[in-house]
Amino acid sequence: MNQQNLKLCSEIIDDKYVKIASNSLNAKEKLFKLLLSQRQLPEEGFDDLTIEYLLNIFATMDTNNFVNKVGVGERESRIFSALVQKRNYYMGHGIGRSGDLIASQPKAAGSSLIAKLTKHLAKDALKLSNYQINELLIVPVATGMALSLCLLTLKSLKPQAKYVLWPRIDQKTCLKCIQTANLIPIVIETMIQDHVVTTNLDILIQKINEIGPDNIVCVLSTTSCFAPRIPDNIGEIAKICKQFQIYHVVNNAYGIQCNKIANSINQGLAQGTVNLIVSSSDKNFMVPVGGALIYGNDKKLIKQISELYPGRASAAPILDLFITFLSMGRSGYLQLQKERVENYIYFKEKLQIITQKISEQILNTPKNSISIGISLKNQKIDQNNQDEKNQITKLGAILYSKKVMGSRVITNKKNKIVCGIEFKNYGSHCDNYFTPYITVACAIGLTKQEIDTFVQEFEKAYTQNT
């Protein structure tokens, strides 16, 4: 509300009350000024009323909310349902234009501002997470499709190449993103070192020499994975890619929250080739599924990805991220990261007590500081049930029935065909792991109460299934 309107308010109610209210409004305007000028996460998170106030201002800047506007185009942000309007804060134009995902829209100044500001806030969040990058693109698709966009862009720059070298990690998305880009995956098998499953870099080099660098679109490495798999050695893979002049894409789905992974990627950026890094918005910033971050230091390449995207796109994932960044603030985000590290230590301590009681062990994978594996070598096998797999996976079903979500039971007895490729012992990231096991993740937002509940329910379920 401008000063003229405030003066008019003083003619209706006592002037001293209007002055007090004016101070409150001015305080909010100062917050908005800092946001627009600094383009960083606010030091302290905004309250919900302040965020909604700002969103309403931006929504008013979009043409669909103009007073007495007339829209005669085929797309005028006409929204039938009032509920859908409210859900989107009265913004319906989406983001981008037909030629560029990050282009501003003439009809949507407010929505365009949100998209641009969210990019700045995401870059600030990455900086707080120790990532040394200078360019970023937020895409309204989840990690798998974001990886496909990266691969399609690289393919356009190297049209004669058709292979993607992919260190094995047993997650379907990794293969499907290659298939979606109409490329051929070459699986780089892993090796086992004590409890750890890791990429065999000698085989990676061997495959590059066999296929030839000119025929390879890129290496697709992975940092965030389920134990006993550990993150790929990004520094060493980056050096190999630099040596052979091959593009390198890093699937960093939920690695933003982990400083060890940030250090590994920074090493790769500094010493070798890391062209593109892809991370999930929901797994790292606690928003609904549907968005991803593509980032790195090659501004031209990331610009090409934004220009590859066909048509406009949904603004919903960007709006969710914008609201969340304003709500968290720098202090809230850093506190969540601090708590995650503390909870990881706490989780392992609690599991250590239980595994000793049930004569199992925590798998020793110190380079994976998000996922934890617990052996299930002593789970009793029903002699009348020849299907060992079903007996062991019953443990997961018991936990699920107790509303324990997210744990994964791996039997080492399951072969699976994914995208036409057969994998032995699918789920364990290798052909011959020495024990069945269960994995859990200490991700951002996990609470100590959830850890305590899991540990209690796991002990009960383990005993029940033995």
Side-chain angles (χ1 to χ4, degrees):
M1 188 174 289
N2 61 35
Q3 290 301 314
Q4 185 176 1
N5 285 337
L6 286 170
K7 185 177 180 180
L8 292 171
C9 291
S10 297
E11 297 175 6
I12 300 171
I13 63 173
D14 196 312
D15 181 60
K16 64 182 178 182
Y17 301 147
V18 174
K19 286 181 179 178
I20 293 171
S22 177
N23 290 336
S24 174
L25 291 171
N26 288 337
K28 293 188 186 303
E29 291 297 331
K30 287 179 181 178
L31 290 176
F32 301 160
K33 182 180 178 181
L34 282 173
L35 176 66
L36 293 168
S37 61
Q38 295 182 351
R39 299 162 201 171
Q40 297 176 345
L41 295 176
E43 191 60 40
E44 300 293 333
F46 291 1
D47 60 72
D48 290 350
L49 183 62
T50 301
I51 294 172
E52 289 187 328
Y53 180 39
L54 179 61
L55 291 174
N56 286 331
I57 292 171
F58 284 146
T60 306
M61 297 170 69
D62 284 3
T63 58
N64 58 294
N65 297 311
F66 285 7
V67 176
N68 298 326
K69 70 100 179 179
V70 177
V72 294
E74 83 288 353
R75 175 191 282 144
E76 296 294 340
S77 188
R78 300 182 181 98
I79 301 173
F80 174 81
S81 169
L83 285 176
V84 174
Q85 280 188 315
K86 290 178 182 178
R87 177 179 175 270
N88 291 278
Y89 286 93
Y90 301 92
M91 290 177 277
H93 284 287
I95 59 168
R97 304 184 74 181
S98 58
D100 192 345
L101 186 60
I102 60 174
S104 299
Q105 289 188 44
K107 294 181 181 179
S111 296
S112 298
L113 270 169
I114 288 174
K116 300 286 188 182
L117 281 171
T118 307
K119 172 184 172 178
H120 287 293
L121 298 181
K123 285 179 72 174
D124 190 40
L126 284 171
K127 182 180 178 181
L128 291 173
S129 302
N130 297 320
Y131 282 82
Q132 296 169 6
I133 58 98
N134 57 33
E135 189 55 291
L136 176 144
L137 173 68
I138 305 172
V139 289
V141 292
T143 308
M145 287 303 297
L147 286 167
S148 290
L149 287 172
C150 294
L151 296 177
L152 285 166
T153 302
L154 295 178
K155 180 183 177 183
S156 71
L157 300 175
K158 202 173 181 181
Q160 80 283 3
K162 59 181 179 180
Y163 298 103
V164 174
L165 272 56
W166 171 68
R168 177 178 173 180
I169 178 167
D170 291 351
Q171 293 169 289
K172 294 177 186 176
T173 296
C174 304
L175 271 178
K176 288 185 175 181
C177 73
I178 299 172
Q179 185 182 58
T180 300
N182 199 27
L183 295 169
I184 301 171
I186 302 297
V187 181
I188 307 300
E189 288 295 345
T190 53
M191 59 183 181
I192 302 172
Q193 298 175 336
D194 194 16
H195 291 181
V196 167
V197 179
T198 188
T199 297
N200 190 324
L201 297 179
D202 291 336
I203 294 180
L204 176 62
I205 295 171
Q206 177 187 327
K207 288 295 182 182
I208 292 173
N209 286 318
E210 286 178 7
I211 297 168
D214 290 343
N215 299 314
I216 298 168
V217 174
C218 69
V219 173
L220 176 57
S221 61
T222 306
T223 57
S224 43
C225 48
F226 308 132
R229 182 71 156 83
I230 62 170
D232 284 328
N233 188 330
I234 302 302
E236 290 304 311
I237 293 177
K239 290 177 185 177
I240 292 168
C241 290
K242 182 178 181 180
Q243 175 188 346
F244 289 98
Q245 296 184 317
I246 298 172
Y247 290 121
H248 182 194
V249 179
V250 180
N251 176 6
N252 190 36
Y254 50 95
I256 292 176
Q257 58 194 277
C258 177
N259 280 336
K260 284 186 179 180
I261 291 174
N263 292 337
S264 176
I265 289 176
N266 289 338
Q267 182 183 353
L269 287 165
Q271 299 179 5
T273 296
V274 176
N275 302 96
L276 297 166
I277 310 152
V278 178
S279 295
S280 162
S281 59
D282 65 278
K283 292 177 181 175
N284 291 287
F285 300 116
M286 302 168 68
V287 295
V289 172
L293 279 59
I294 300 173
Y295 50 103
N297 288 330
D298 191 334
K299 291 186 177 183
K300 182 179 177 181
L301 182 56
I302 292 175
K303 175 69 172 173
Q304 287 173 307
I305 296 172
S306 73
E307 293 172 345
L308 178 77
Y309 194 97
R312 294 192 192 183
S314 170
I318 286 82
L319 182 59
D320 289 339
L321 200 53
F322 180 65
I323 293 169
T324 301
F325 281 146
L326 294 183
S327 184
M328 276 185 183
R330 295 167 70 91
S331 60
Y333 180 57
L334 291 173
Q335 180 62 27
L336 282 167
Q337 288 199 323
K338 179 174 178 288
E339 288 174 358
R340 195 204 70 79
V341 173
E342 293 171 349
N343 285 343
Y344 178 78
I345 297 169
Y346 180 78
F347 208 165
K348 290 192 77 171
E349 289 173 348
K350 288 288 185 178
L351 289 172
Q352 188 65 46
I353 296 170
I354 294 300
T355 52
Q356 288 177 354
K357 286 175 65 176
I358 60 178
S359 300
E360 295 287 0
Q361 62 182 324
I362 297 174
L363 302 178
N364 185 25
T365 57
K367 291 185 179 180
N368 191 330
S369 53
I370 296 177
S371 179
I372 304 169
I374 306 150
S375 71
L376 298 175
K377 62 181 183 295
N378 295 321
Q379 279 282 281
K380 185 182 72 174
I381 304 303
D382 186 349
Q383 299 303 321
N384 297 319
N385 182 356
Q386 299 302 312
D387 191 348
E388 177 184 349
K389 170 178 144 328
N390 287 340
Q391 181 65 17
I392 295 177
T393 56
K394 186 180 175 184
L395 175 65
I398 295 170
L399 287 170
Y400 185 80
S401 71
K402 300 298 183 182
K403 302 178 184 178
V404 174
M405 313 298 169
S407 60
R408 292 171 171 83
V409 174
I410 306 299
T411 65
N412 300 327
K413 298 289 182 180
K414 179 181 179 181
N415 291 357
K416 192 174 184 68
I417 296 175
V418 181
C419 296
I421 302 173
E422 184 170 7
F423 293 89
K424 185 178 179 183
N425 297 335
Y426 189 78
S428 62
H429 320 287
C430 61
D431 287 351
N432 53 348
Y433 202 66
F434 70 93
T435 180
Y437 59 89
I438 184 172
T439 67
V440 293
C442 187
I444 192 166
L446 181 71
T447 66
K448 282 188 169 65
Q449 182 179 350
E450 288 177 301
I451 293 171
D452 291 340
T453 302
F454 170 80
V455 170
Q456 293 169 8
E457 295 297 340
F458 172 67
E459 182 179 11
K460 292 176 187 176
Y462 185 95
T463 303
Q464 181 180 337
N465 203 47
T466 301

